[in-house]
Amino acid sequence: MRVLNWLGNTQAEPTSGLWMDDLNPATSQVIAQIPRSDANDVQAAVDSAREGARIWGSTPAQVRADTLRRIADGIDMELNDLARLESTDQGKPVSLARAIDIPRASANMRFFASALEQEVHQSSKHVSARGAALNYTSRKPIGVVGLITPWNLPLYLLTWKVGPALAMGNAIVAKPSELTPLTADALGRICKESGLPAGVFNLVHGLGPEVGQAIVEHPEIKAISFTGGTATGRRVAATAAPMFKKLNLELGCKNATLVFEDADLDEAVAGAVMAGFSNQGEICLCGSRLLVQAGIYEDFVQRYVERVAALRVGDPASPDTQVGALNSLAHRDKVEGYLRLAVEEGGQILCGGKRPDLPAPFDRGAFLQPAVIADLPIGCRTATEEIFGPVVTVHPFSDEEQALEMANGTQYGLSASVWTQDLKRAHRVSEALDVGMVWVNTWLLRDLRVPFGGVKNSGVGREGGAWSMRFYSEDKNVCVLL
Ligand code: NAD
């Protein structure tokens, strides 16, 4: 299967004539070839998007909202196929893709269709020495926007950007991760079948330093929304900032799960397992540093390790599988490197960390048993650097003050979860955590209206609800002397 670029509603081969293999990480088999595009293909996408932006930007809001809903319906109609495609491309259990990734992708489109319909523009009157004046503010599309996304939640995160960008009347030039291109390609087809005008949805496949960089550098692309690693985000910012582009960066993480002695332990154990190992630990919100109050540490860790060791690792297509393959063999190598480092740093691996013994063809896949590591100093590399895999380090703390110091002691600040039944403590700790999002007695419970994003090296700006609508538009104020 050869995947092509989308230039508006037509498909195109890369001008370079070069192709790259796309692998199923569960078997290492080649499942598709994708274009190794370059700056020429990005230029073609911008040429297409320029015309798309002209048409779409002046399309009535209701027509845009209706089109987004048709795209959402199209995604829902292909739920099973898209879930299978996502699982095969990414390595995640198909059950997870069917329950979370694909439904969330259609929810993203529907949510921003409704958000657009609910937009009310404000006007105000003021009186000054020079007379009374009426101010009104209108919101304009930006024009052509660039969307760059990672491999962990491919369609989920792409639609999280495509939804608001299209709702606000922009044309897009998108680049999905080269490791997970397939559902982005399907979205291009669904957009076309849903009646999105030519030129509005443009998708260029290829490598980050080639296609991604060309998107960020292109002078006609006025805004960049990027989700990926912190080091890549730094390069994106270095290119885009001097060009005064609007920039939204959703970057790396090392999130803490804080469990206090007064927590409901059954719920906290179950929540911490989910936070640690959902999607093989490859979610930016995963809690990979588990901080447990000393009085319950031993009991908690014992129950936690029992649960983690019982997670079923294997064929992502099997409905029983709870942990699929990591996204690539190279990524597994990186994670295994951290497991070796953990031992060097004095850590004790309480469970997992080994390659499971799986039958062919999964014996060639990027599988790893979920690992829990104890006895590490909280400031060591394993406990502070992003691993982004099925690895959790556990650390005891004595009191609230120490818990906060430990939780805040990384360069990252995306999210945290706090487990306690003390209402005052829940608020106090949430307030003091240096992160963009806190969950209390739950994890990854999402409301698409609320701000999503991090502080410190986890990013700049917020996505979600009004924050996304604002990012993908420019406000213009008009002041009329009455
Ligand atoms: P990555 O930074 O390697 O790649 C992300 C995207 O950027 C890919 O499409 C890649 O091709 C592209 N890219 C690479 N170099 C580029 C360049 N020079 N210019 C422009 N684009 C370039 O990240 P990844 O490995 O795909 O994803 C994992 C990372 O994403 C982790 O760090 C994870 O924490 C982060 N992430 C963050 C969030 C969040 O919301 N904060 C969500 C998901 C993933």
Side-chain angles (χ1 to χ4, degrees):
M1 165 171 155
R2 269 198 168 175
V3 167
L4 303 177
N5 291 330
W6 282 100
L7 300 181
N9 287 340
T10 56
Q11 294 197 274
E13 297 200 352
T15 48
S16 65
L18 298 175
W19 299 86
M20 305 188 292
D21 286 343
D22 178 33
L23 304 182
N24 175 349
T27 62
S28 298
Q29 284 159 348
V30 176
I31 47 175
Q33 284 202 308
I34 66 164
R36 182 169 170 179
S37 312
D38 58 25
N40 293 321
D41 304 290
V42 172
Q43 183 58 52
V46 172
D47 292 341
S48 159
R50 191 183 305 118
E51 182 57 12
R54 198 184 59 74
I55 296 166
W56 190 240
S58 54
T59 297
Q62 191 59 57
V63 175
R64 296 206 302 263
D66 292 345
T67 310
L68 259 66
R69 286 209 179 83
R70 283 197 300 278
I71 296 171
D73 292 344
I75 293 171
D76 283 345
M77 264 158 37
E78 297 187 23
L79 169 66
N80 288 330
D81 287 345
L82 289 171
R84 203 161 22 79
L85 213 53
E86 200 75 299
S87 168
T88 314
D89 213 9
Q90 205 277 337
K92 67 181 69 212
V94 72
S95 55
L96 185 73
R98 199 182 291 122
I100 305 288
D101 293 68
I102 309 305
R104 172 60 193 276
S106 60
N108 285 338
M109 304 306 286
R110 236 173 239 123
F111 173 84
F112 284 107
S114 300
L116 175 62
E117 287 169 337
Q118 301 298 325
E119 276 252 297
V120 178
H121 296 294
Q122 302 288 329
S123 64
S124 67
K125 195 175 151 190
H126 77 268
V127 182
S128 72
R130 291 168 60 198
L134 175 70
N135 281 282
Y136 63 88
T137 307
S138 58
R139 219 165 242 190
K140 305 276 180 203
I142 295 173
V144 182
V145 299
L147 314 180
I148 300 175
T149 48
W151 48 256
N152 64 320
L153 302 167
L155 191 63
Y156 176 133
L157 289 178
L158 180 61
T159 50
W160 185 228
K161 299 183 190 302
V162 170
L166 294 186
M168 297 313 279
N170 303 286
I172 67 174
V173 176
K175 191 203 100 58
S177 169
E178 57 277 20
L179 297 168
T180 51
L182 299 185
T183 48
D185 171 58
L187 181 64
R189 176 180 48 73
I190 292 169
C191 284
K192 177 180 178 176
E193 290 166 1
S194 304
L196 192 68
V200 181
F201 181 93
N202 304 279
L203 187 74
V204 188
H205 293 282
L207 298 172
E210 296 172 3
V211 173
Q213 185 69 26
I215 289 174
V216 178
E217 280 175 3
H218 201 290
E220 282 185 69
I221 299 181
K222 300 291 184 199
I224 301 290
S225 182
F226 171 85
T227 299
T230 295
T232 318
R234 194 170 279 126
R235 275 197 292 278
V236 169
T239 307
M243 299 176 80
F244 307 114
K245 296 192 180 203
K246 271 187 120 172
L247 200 51
N248 173 220
L249 300 171
E250 303 287 343
L251 308 177
C253 58
K254 188 78 175 180
N255 309 305
T257 304
L258 297 89
V259 184
F260 288 90
E261 280 170 359
D262 57 29
D264 178 320
L265 283 202
D266 290 338
E267 286 182 9
V269 169
V273 172
M274 207 163 89
F277 299 102
S278 293
N279 204 46
Q280 301 74 241
E282 297 167 332
I283 302 181
C284 55
L285 305 162
C286 277
S288 52
R289 311 171 90 215
L290 178 52
L291 314 180
V292 185
Q293 199 157 13
I296 55 165
Y297 182 80
E298 286 198 3
D299 182 28
F300 185 93
V301 170
Q302 189 191 340
R303 290 164 65 175
Y304 181 74
V305 168
E306 272 167 26
R307 293 279 286 260
V308 174
L311 290 171
R312 288 182 298 274
V313 183
D315 176 5
S318 161
D320 295 333
T321 294
Q322 292 167 299
V323 179
L326 300 201
N327 184 243
S328 67
L329 292 174
H331 186 49
R332 183 177 64 178
D333 287 347
K334 176 192 149 186
V335 175
E336 287 178 331
Y338 272 104
L339 290 166
R340 285 192 295 277
L341 176 67
V343 174
E344 283 167 28
E345 290 184 317
Q348 194 198 341
I349 299 181
L350 302 181
C351 70
K354 299 260 185 303
R355 299 179 183 184
D357 194 13
L358 295 172
F362 305 109
D363 53 344
R364 285 182 288 130
F367 293 92
L368 195 63
Q369 284 165 339
V372 180
I373 310 172
D375 300 339
L376 282 167
I378 189 70
C380 73
R381 285 184 53 202
T382 313
T384 55
E385 294 181 8
E386 182 176 40
I387 300 174
F388 212 54
V391 178
V392 170
T393 62
V394 287
H395 312 265
F397 66 82
S398 54
D399 56 17
E400 216 174 282
E401 195 185 339
Q402 192 189 20
L404 283 166
E405 195 185 320
M406 292 164 84
N408 288 336
T410 76
Q411 61 166 307
Y412 300 109
L414 188 58
S415 72
S417 71
V418 179
W419 299 80
T420 175
Q421 297 193 76
D422 178 336
L423 186 62
K424 284 191 173 181
R425 167 178 280 156
H427 286 295
R428 209 168 42 232
V429 170
S430 301
E431 187 70 22
L433 282 165
D434 211 359
V435 297
M437 296 168 279
V438 182
W439 280 284
V440 177
N441 295 326
T442 184
W443 175 76
L444 224 177
L445 183 60
R446 292 282 289 120
D447 177 333
L448 304 189
R449 293 169 298 182
V450 306
F452 180 102
V455 300
K456 301 200 282 188
N457 290 358
S458 286
V460 177
R462 295 291 183 273
E463 295 185 296
W467 287 266
S468 291
M469 303 292 272
R470 209 166 290 139
F471 178 78
Y472 291 104
S473 57
E474 292 286 6
D475 283 346
K476 179 189 276 181
N477 191 74
V478 177
C479 176
V480 185
L481 185 64
L482 296 177

